Amino acid sequence: LCSCILRAMGDKLEFSQAPTTNVDIEMGNPAQPAPAFVPNAFKNAKHPIVCCFHFAFKIGALGMYLLGRYILPVSFVTTFIITVLLLAFDFWTVKNVTGRKLVGLRWWNEVKEDGSSEWVFESLEDQTSVNPVDKNAFWLGLYGWPVIWSSFLILNVLSFDINYIILMCIAVVFSGSNVYGYFKCSKDQGQRMSELQGRFAQSAVQAVASRALG
C-alpha cells in the first residue's frame, strides 16, 4: 500500500551511500501576514501558513490513530488506511514543500541508468534569511515526529498487537525517511559553507599578500 501511494506521488526513496550533487534554492516570497486562524506560536513566522501545514497532516494522522485505537469503535482497516494516507501526505509535504520554504532545504535521490544512486540536495546559500520561528517549527516537527511514533511502537510491541505494530512501523519509516534525508542535506550544506569560508579566507590572504608585496 505504501509503495503504491509513493508511486502515485512520483517519489522514490533510496537510502544508499552515494555521491551528492548540490544546487541552490530560493526561499520565494517575502513574509506573509498571519491569518486569524494561525496559532500564536506562528504569528511571527515568515511563512505562518506553511508552518501550519508542517503540523497539519501530523496531527491528523496521530489523531486518527488515537481515535481508532483507543477512543471510537472504528475498524482497524479504516484506521489503518486513513492513517497511512495522512502519513504519506505529511511525508510528501515535508519533503517537497515545508523544508524548502521554512529552512531552504530539499532532498531527493536519483537512480541512474547504470543502477547507481545519487543524492541531490537543494540548499539556500544565505541562511541569514531563514526566519527563526520557521526554522524552530520545522526542526521540532521533523525530529519530534519519529520519536512520537517510536513510543507508540514500543507500546504496541509490549501489548503484542501485530496489526498496530505494522502500522507503527510504517509511521516510523515515513517519518524517519525525512529525518535521514534532511540530516544528510543539512550536513552537506554545512560542508559547503565551510568550503566557501575557506575559499574566502584564502582569497583574502592572497589579496593582502599581493598588496603587501606590491
Side-chain angles (χ1 to χ4, degrees):
L1 175 60
C2 295
S3 60
C4 293
I5 293 171
L6 290 177
R7 280 199 296 268
M9 290 181 173
D11 285 304
K12 293 181 179 178
L13 286 181
E14 298 288 341
F15 292 112
S16 57
Q17 298 296 326
T20 61
T21 302
N22 301 286
V23 295
D24 296 329
I25 186 173
E26 296 295 335
M27 291 290 286
N29 299 325
Q32 306 169 357
F37 64 84
V38 172
N40 291 331
F42 301 147
K43 290 292 185 181
N44 295 324
K46 184 178 180 179
H47 303 95
I49 298 178
V50 179
C51 288
C52 290
F53 272 101
H54 186 60
F55 290 93
F57 292 119
K58 292 178 173 64
I59 295 173
L62 183 60
M64 185 63 216
Y65 166 71
L66 294 176
L67 288 174
R69 180 76 167 89
Y70 300 106
I71 302 175
L72 298 179
V74 180
S75 68
F76 168 75
V77 174
T78 301
T79 302
F80 183 92
I81 292 175
I82 296 178
T83 303
V84 170
L85 284 174
L86 290 170
L87 288 169
F89 293 153
D90 175 71
F91 171 82
W92 186 91
T93 301
V94 174
K95 179 175 177 292
N96 296 297
V97 180
T98 62
R100 177 170 58 87
K101 288 289 188 180
L102 299 181
V103 292
L105 299 174
R106 186 170 175 236
W107 66 271
W108 69 92
N109 186 279
E110 293 182 350
V111 180
K112 299 181 179 180
E113 295 180 356
D114 59 1
S116 62
S117 61
E118 180 181 31
W119 285 94
V120 183
F121 300 137
E122 288 183 349
S123 60
L124 183 68
E125 285 288 349
D126 183 14
Q127 282 290 306
T128 59
S129 62
V130 176
N131 182 277
V133 177
D134 289 354
K135 181 178 180 180
N136 292 335
F138 177 80
W139 292 113
L140 176 63
L142 184 74
Y143 287 121
W145 194 224
V147 172
I148 292 173
W149 288 117
S150 297
S151 301
F152 283 114
L153 173 61
I154 294 173
L155 292 176
N156 283 285
V157 169
L158 294 176
S159 63
F160 298 102
D161 194 321
I162 300 300
N163 289 333
Y164 282 102
I165 288 175
I166 295 173
L167 178 58
M168 294 303 97
C169 288
I170 294 173
V172 171
V173 168
F174 270 121
S175 56
S177 297
N178 267 327
V179 170
Y180 186 82
Y182 278 110
F183 173 76
K184 288 179 66 69
C185 190
S186 60
K187 182 179 179 181
D188 181 78
Q189 186 190 47
Q191 293 175 350
R192 292 182 63 198
M193 292 301 297
S194 298
E195 292 175 359
L196 289 175
Q197 292 173 357
R199 292 176 185 175
F200 177 80
Q202 183 179 4
S203 299
V205 170
Q206 290 178 348
V208 171
S210 62
R211 181 174 297 182
L213 295 175

